[in-house]
Amino acid sequence: MISTTPFWVEERPPDPGLATAMDLPRSADVVVVGSGVTGLTAARRLLGSGRSVAVIDADPIGGSASRVSGGMIIHGLKISPEAAIAGWGDRLGREMWQASLDSVDLVERIVAEDGIDCEYERTGAAELGFNERDLARFRAEQAWLGDRVGFTTEVYGPDRIHEVVGSSRFVGAQVEAFSAGLQPAKYALGLAESVARAGGVLIEGTAVTGIERSTGGFDVTTERGVVRAGEVLLATNGYTGGLQAPLQRRIVPIGSYIVVTEPLPDETARRLVPGRRMLWTSRRFLNYFRLTADNRLMLGGRQNLSPDLDLQESARLLRATVEGFYPELAWVRITHTWTGRLGVTFDLLPHIGRFDGVWHALGYGGHGMGIGTYIGHEAAGLMNGELDHSPFAEIPFPTRWFYRRRAWFLRPAATLYRFLDRIGR
């Protein structure tokens, strides 16, 4: 049986010495709900301004998705910079694009400043194409990015694809040297340790069940009691649930599934993923893959948008994908299979804002390691009064009339996406 404990968590379990509180504090200047990279980065900046902070999570500290993601810190948002500028104008669109670049630099700075040992590597990334249509799109994007926003990529065709990926399945790639990767459990727990050292209170295994206005702030009700807060930040992304009805109707939880192999021989690893780049494929149901520090192949993706697929069945499907990309790995054992929830918005953009006075920062669409870090830092800057605006706080946060409590539309959407991928549209 394949282990369903996430590989990253098994490799880096929480340190027993991490100062998680046994008792709820009576009050805090700010209560942060959610201890993934967004909540922890926000807490880090809030504490730096001298405010008292309590971070509360229903799950273990480090968050549910943050510790188990692919650990890829990629330029860009879920929408292209061309779409952002077309939809929101030159100023906002460019600010959104620049934020995605700044997010990579911010992670690197935090890792250095806080001394977080998380296998951070700035090895670059590449999108892989299956056909000539993909290559044509890569060339058009390369020209647009260079001309409009000054971002440099290279397009490799069939004669150079072996420099990016050791697979005959792909015919081309759009390559950049900007993006990075890390071990996400080590990064998230390193952030938690930084928050604890700065005096933040970390409460895990405690669900927040209600938030009500009170004199001078909010009463945050949990399974273990009430915390009086001056301000509240919800940093719950794909795990938002029904705590705030307006927020729940604006973010859709979607499952992403990952497997890792046993360690590969050095020569094999170097040939299959030259340069140790972060890689993903040009499909709606994309796959993303990379090497771990000990040369395991990590591959993620989905055949369905549901967050509740059986993990053993998911492992079977993803193993078939591994073998489709790399037939020579048919002999390699899959050791771990796991899942985490993305938070996807209807405009495919992150959002910072408030409903009923309660702050929120969420909606990364699969870019959560870098953008989630940045949005947490940005939200805290707004809450502190250190920033006077953010592009992600200026745009409206849309919902749809047909979305109430259950994302019933995921199954028909998945069927459509599979069809479009199959016909190459």
Side-chain angles (χ1 to χ4, degrees):
M1 185 70 71
I2 302 171
S3 172
T4 57
T5 299
F7 168 73
W8 306 123
V9 175
E10 187 174 285
E11 188 180 56
R12 173 61 163 92
D15 188 335
L18 182 64
T20 55
M22 297 298 294
D23 298 317
L24 286 173
R26 296 184 62 182
S27 64
D29 292 334
V30 183
V31 167
V32 176
V33 183
S35 68
V37 297
T38 300
L40 292 170
T41 306
R44 180 182 182 273
R45 185 168 187 174
L46 292 163
L47 288 160
S49 70
R51 304 176 80 180
S52 63
V53 179
V55 180
I56 305 177
D57 202 309
D59 293 317
I61 290 296
S64 296
S66 291
R67 293 185 302 153
V68 304
S69 78
M72 300 165 68
I73 310 162
I74 307 296
H75 74 279
L77 302 167
K78 188 67 173 176
I79 66 170
S80 69
E82 185 174 6
I85 289 173
W88 298 104
D90 194 71
R91 179 184 69 83
L92 277 179
R94 287 179 179 273
E95 286 185 5
M96 291 175 187
W97 164 254
Q98 187 59 49
S100 80
L101 304 185
D102 292 345
S103 73
V104 184
D105 293 335
L106 176 63
V107 172
E108 185 168 285
R109 177 166 65 82
I110 290 173
V111 167
E113 287 179 355
D114 293 11
I116 301 175
D117 179 11
C118 60
E119 300 162 15
Y120 178 87
E121 291 184 294
R122 201 150 188 176
T123 54
E127 181 178 4
L128 306 176
F130 295 94
N131 50 45
E132 288 298 322
R133 184 185 291 110
D134 290 334
L135 265 176
R137 178 172 64 82
F138 291 165
R139 293 188 180 106
E141 287 180 355
Q142 177 191 36
W144 193 95
L145 288 167
D147 292 344
R148 292 296 303 274
V149 294
F151 187 74
T152 300
T153 68
E154 293 186 78
V155 176
Y156 293 6
D159 58 330
R160 296 189 64 187
I161 190 64
H162 64 279
E163 298 176 37
V164 183
V165 62
S167 169
S168 62
R169 185 70 181 85
F170 305 102
V171 303
Q174 185 170 198
V175 185
E176 49 88 348
F178 186 82
S179 298
L182 47 67
Q183 209 279 30
K186 292 183 178 181
Y187 176 57
L189 291 172
L191 284 173
E193 290 166 353
S194 296
V195 168
R197 284 196 302 269
V201 179
L202 302 174
I203 305 290
E204 62 184 359
T206 303
V208 173
T209 57
I211 302 171
E212 294 184 359
R213 284 187 177 274
S214 63
T215 304
F218 299 88
D219 286 338
V220 180
T221 302
T222 79
E223 296 172 319
R224 296 167 51 195
V226 177
V227 183
R228 176 66 58 86
E231 294 189 275
V232 179
L233 170 65
L234 298 182
T236 44
N237 205 36
Y239 297 82
T240 295
L243 194 58
Q244 267 201 326
L247 193 58
Q248 182 184 30
R249 294 193 58 227
R250 286 165 170 79
I251 188 155
V252 182
I254 289 176
S256 191
Y257 299 83
I258 295 178
V259 294
V260 295
T261 69
E262 61 187 332
L264 304 176
D266 286 346
E267 182 279 329
T268 302
R270 285 195 300 271
R271 180 166 44 80
L272 298 188
V273 187
R276 305 184 70 85
R277 294 182 182 90
M278 309 293 111
L279 304 175
W280 72 96
T281 62
S282 58
R283 285 179 170 169
R284 289 172 178 79
F285 277 123
L286 61 81
N287 291 106
Y288 51 93
F289 52 108
R290 57 172 292 196
L291 295 172
T292 66
D294 61 350
N295 284 341
R296 298 168 186 265
L297 182 72
M298 184 223 79
L299 182 140
R302 65 192 67 82
Q303 296 293 320
N304 192 306
L305 297 173
S306 169
D308 301 312
L309 299 183
D310 177 79
L311 289 179
Q312 299 301 326
E313 174 65 9
S314 170
R316 185 188 67 78
L317 294 171
L318 290 177
R319 179 179 186 86
T321 302
V322 170
E323 294 180 16
F325 293 165
Y326 297 119
E328 67 185 275
L329 297 186
W331 58 270
V332 171
R333 186 169 61 93
I334 300 293
T335 61
H336 298 73
T337 176
W338 70 90
T339 185
R341 291 187 180 186
L342 311 179
V344 178
T345 59
F346 287 102
D347 59 6
L348 303 181
L349 287 169
H351 287 267
I352 302 171
R354 283 186 281 189
F355 290 121
D356 299 325
V358 176
W359 288 87
H360 56 260
L362 69 184
Y364 315 124
H367 288 246
M369 194 53 55
I371 294 297
T373 295
Y374 180 88
I375 292 295
H377 188 74
E378 191 96 333
L382 291 169
M383 294 170 74
N384 284 340
E386 297 162 351
L387 299 176
D388 59 11
H389 87 283
S390 164
F392 305 110
E394 290 188 35
I395 57 176
F397 197 166
T399 185
R400 297 291 184 269
W401 63 268
F402 53 77
Y403 183 36
R404 296 296 174 180
R405 295 183 180 180
R406 187 175 64 88
W408 58 268
F409 45 85
L410 292 182
R411 180 171 293 185
T415 300
L416 174 62
Y417 293 165
R418 280 194 295 269
F419 172 73
L420 293 173
D421 281 341
R422 189 160 55 247
I423 64 174
R425 296 295 295 274

